């Protein structure tokens, strides 16, 4: 999280911190109730975001705690991941669409907005500032807050995307469920599978 603390969430919804080699349970605030935490994220302002399996997400900042759900405009209450863009806005990957939180209001993206698939798992930012949104059915590109067509990403097909990483050389690495590891760069796509020595 930028402070040499590693946050760990478990399938049971518990949260731990790894600090100086020691695993320390993180006590959830009473406001979290019986929420099962799926993911955590600390943004550049120091706010800790906790995404739950079905009750939206919680923000903890300087002792102030606030919860957000579909009642506040969030697209869906099942949170898969968080991402902070260059403008400091929070993007939330949910099991049914993508939400953007600017600190005041939500903007949501779904199939009718061009999102390739509903279940969003991961978000990354490329060297040009566009967002790459990995879903259970491929990758969508967000440019200037709009989802735009990208023939190269479309050529990936309907792969289930579990991870996206942009390296210092601006290559995009995409981890899939069953389709191997994909590298995108210079207008080309290369796929690494067990045929190339990948373990799985």
């Amino acid at each position: 999280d930028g402070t040499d603390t590693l946050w760990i969430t478990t399938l049971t919804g518990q949260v731990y911190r790894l600090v100086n080699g020691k695993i320390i349970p993180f006590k959830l605030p009473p406001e979290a109730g019986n929420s099962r935490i799926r993911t955590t994220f600390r943004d550049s302002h120091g706010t800790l975001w906790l995404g739950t399996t079905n009750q939206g997400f919680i923000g903890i900042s300087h002792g102030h705690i606030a919860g957000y759900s579909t009642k506040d405009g969030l697209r869906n209450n099942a949170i898969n991941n968080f991402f902070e863009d260059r403008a400091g806005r929070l993007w939330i990957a949910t099991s049914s669409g993508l939400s953007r939180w600017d600190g005041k209001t939500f903007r949501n993206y779904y199939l009718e907005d061009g999102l390739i698939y509903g279940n969003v798992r991961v978000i990354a930012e490329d060297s040009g500032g566009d967002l790459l949104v990995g879903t259970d059915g491929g990758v969508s590109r967000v440019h200037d807050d709009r989802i735009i067509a990208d023939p190269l990403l479309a050529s990936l097909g309907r792969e289930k995307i579990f991870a996206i990483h942009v390296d210092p050389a601006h290559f995009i690495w995409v981890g899939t469920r069953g389709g191997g590891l994909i590298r995108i760069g210079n207008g080309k796509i290369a796929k690494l599978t067990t045929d190339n020595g990948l373990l799985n």
Side-chain angles (χ1 to χ4, degrees):
D1 67 1
T3 66
D4 294 329
T5 298
L6 181 69
W7 291 81
I8 303 164
T9 56
T10 70
L11 287 176
T12 59
Q14 296 170 301
V15 182
Y16 298 87
R17 294 180 300 154
L18 181 62
V19 183
N20 297 324
K22 294 182 179 180
I23 294 179
I24 304 170
F26 179 72
K27 186 176 181 180
L28 294 175
E31 290 83 351
N34 296 320
S35 299
R36 292 179 60 188
I37 305 303
R38 176 179 284 166
T39 185
T40 66
F41 176 72
R42 188 181 295 280
D43 67 19
S44 60
H45 305 289
T47 300
L48 176 66
W49 300 99
L50 305 172
T52 75
T53 56
N54 60 8
Q55 297 179 23
F57 65 96
I58 301 161
I60 304 174
S61 178
H62 308 292
H64 177 71
I65 301 172
Y68 304 91
S69 69
T70 52
K71 295 178 181 178
D72 304 290
L74 181 66
R75 168 69 200 175
N76 185 270
N77 283 333
I79 310 301
N80 291 328
N81 226 318
F82 295 104
F83 183 81
E84 182 181 11
D85 67 16
R86 296 179 184 183
R89 299 173 304 183
L90 187 71
W91 294 79
I92 305 105
T94 84
S95 293
S96 180
L98 176 69
S99 290
R100 189 195 72 201
W101 170 247
D102 62 8
K104 295 180 180 179
T105 59
F106 286 99
R107 176 173 176 181
N108 296 317
Y109 301 80
Y110 199 55
L111 304 180
E112 60 267 22
D113 304 295
L115 190 65
I116 195 168
Y117 196 89
N119 189 17
V120 180
R121 290 194 179 270
V122 63
I123 307 164
E125 192 171 42
D126 71 9
S127 57
D130 285 359
L131 295 188
L132 305 171
V133 181
T135 76
D136 273 356
V139 182
S140 290
R141 177 180 293 276
V142 178
H143 176 77
D144 288 340
D145 296 335
R146 291 173 42 248
I147 297 175
I148 63 170
D150 185 319
L152 195 58
L153 293 180
S155 69
L156 297 179
R158 292 286 182 163
E159 294 281 4
K160 288 188 175 182
I161 310 301
F162 273 24
I164 301 176
H165 173 72
V166 181
D167 70 19
H170 309 309
F171 283 97
I172 300 167
W173 296 85
V174 179
T176 74
R177 181 177 181 178
L181 178 64
I182 299 168
R183 190 185 75 168
I184 305 170
N186 300 324
K188 298 179 180 178
I189 292 178
K191 181 179 287 190
L192 301 173
T193 67
T194 50
D195 290 340
N196 307 103
L198 197 63
L199 182 62
N200 185 275

